[in-house]
Amino acid sequence: MSTARRREGLLLAAPALIFLVAMLAFPLFYNLVTSVLDVDLAGLLGEGTPFVGAENYRTAVSESAFWSAVALTVVFTVSSLVLQFGIGFALALLFARDFPWNGLLRSLMLVAWLLPPVVSGSLFRWMLDADAGAYNAILRSLGLEVLTNAWLTDTGTALAGVIFANVWIGVPFNMILLLVGLTSLDRDLYSSAELDGASAWQRFRYLTLPLMRPVMAAVLLLGLIYTFKAFDLIFVMTGGGPVDATRVLPLLAYERFFEFFRFGEGAAITVLLLVIPLVVSLWYVRGLGKETDR
């Protein structure tokens, strides 16, 4: 490639590079620097922010609140991913078939995903309310008063409540991506398998699942990244309560930043928060490269 051609390429890529540096690289670098400094309100007002090395990380991981938040984050993420993906895949298989009102029903399904998480969170906070909530009203109307509960203020059901809301939001996203993958599969393969006597289950097991593997991996990766950093939905529904029953890692970092003003420790928690999605992303990119080389 000639020098003039290389310069032309760099010039064309410059706006995108500037955007990435300003909006992605610089905030990450600033957060990383903050995580190794002793930063509090006094420090921000001019009393200095001394270098403390890994002290903020040691403080964060030595607290039981951190490991409690890690456990809640894992439960929230895994439960949401399994339910979103399972229901989304089932609906994608359904909508891949031709039937009346297919397009209309598919469009209605997307409404849940199009709503901002704050709106969805407010909606579910009302529906799960102990006194005026829709779910308790339905149970009472069916004579099932004994099953009513203060879903979001009970420590035993609050996490299930926010998982339920997050699944409702994530199912359409999973469904639409999986549906695109299903409709792109070669139908001749299915016709040939059917002529050879393969049952519906065998076609699903030996054709659909292997052919959909790259799409499924991408959907699960995107779901993991989106779910692992979930903040606004949980903040609106429970604020991390009751009694820290829904305080996942992003809410713990928020607490350290904006309630305790321990900015260095909050930055350290957000750096640790990036580790799992980053490792999974690298694993996915590496696997994708191997798949392409085959």
Side-chain angles (χ1 to χ4, degrees), residues 21-253:
V21 169
M23 304 303 293
L24 182 64
F26 176 71
L28 284 175
F29 177 75
Y30 188 82
N31 187 67
L32 191 62
V33 171
T34 305
S35 71
V36 294
L37 300 176
D38 183 13
V39 185
D40 54 18
L41 277 180
L44 292 178
L45 292 175
E47 293 189 8
T49 55
F51 177 78
V52 294
E55 184 59 32
N56 288 324
Y57 293 91
R58 279 195 289 270
T59 303
V61 300
S62 65
E63 294 179 351
S64 60
F66 175 80
W67 295 108
S68 171
V70 169
L72 288 173
T73 304
V74 171
V75 171
F76 175 75
T77 303
V78 173
S79 302
S80 296
L81 276 182
V82 170
L83 292 172
Q84 287 174 356
F85 185 82
I87 299 172
F89 204 173
L91 289 172
L93 290 169
L94 172 66
F95 285 113
R97 298 172 176 272
D98 289 329
F99 61 85
W101 297 1
N102 183 315
L104 175 64
L105 292 173
R106 196 189 312 172
S107 302
L108 290 175
M109 287 289 299
L110 291 177
V111 171
W113 184 54
L114 294 176
L115 288 175
V118 173
V119 176
S120 300
S122 302
L123 182 66
F124 272 89
R125 184 174 180 176
W126 165 70
M127 290 197 298
L128 295 171
D129 185 79
D131 301 319
Y135 289 111
N136 279 349
I138 293 172
L139 291 172
R140 290 190 192 99
S141 67
L142 295 174
L144 300 173
E145 180 83 22
V146 68
L147 295 180
T148 59
N149 188 36
W151 305 102
L152 296 180
T153 53
D154 184 333
T155 54
T157 57
L159 185 60
V162 294
I163 290 173
F164 178 47
N166 193 55
V167 169
W168 183 80
I169 294 172
V171 163
F173 175 74
N174 282 253
M175 181 201 72
I176 201 68
L177 292 183
L178 292 166
L179 182 59
V180 171
L182 286 172
T183 53
S184 66
L185 298 182
D186 188 353
R187 308 313 302 176
D188 291 341
L189 290 173
Y190 287 86
S191 300
S192 300
E194 197 169 356
L195 287 174
D196 290 339
S199 65
W201 166 250
Q202 288 172 324
R203 293 196 297 275
F204 176 75
R205 170 69 180 81
Y206 296 107
L207 286 178
T208 303
L209 288 182
L211 292 173
M212 285 288 291
R213 192 169 59 182
V215 178
M216 291 191 294
V219 171
L220 287 171
L221 175 64
L222 292 173
L224 171 70
I225 294 171
Y226 181 83
T227 308
F228 205 77
K229 65 180 181 59
F231 171 81
D232 38 12
L233 177 73
I234 304 173
F235 185 77
V236 169
M237 290 184 68
T238 64
V243 198
D244 303 335
T246 59
R247 188 176 60 180
V248 293
L249 275 176
L251 268 76
L252 180 67

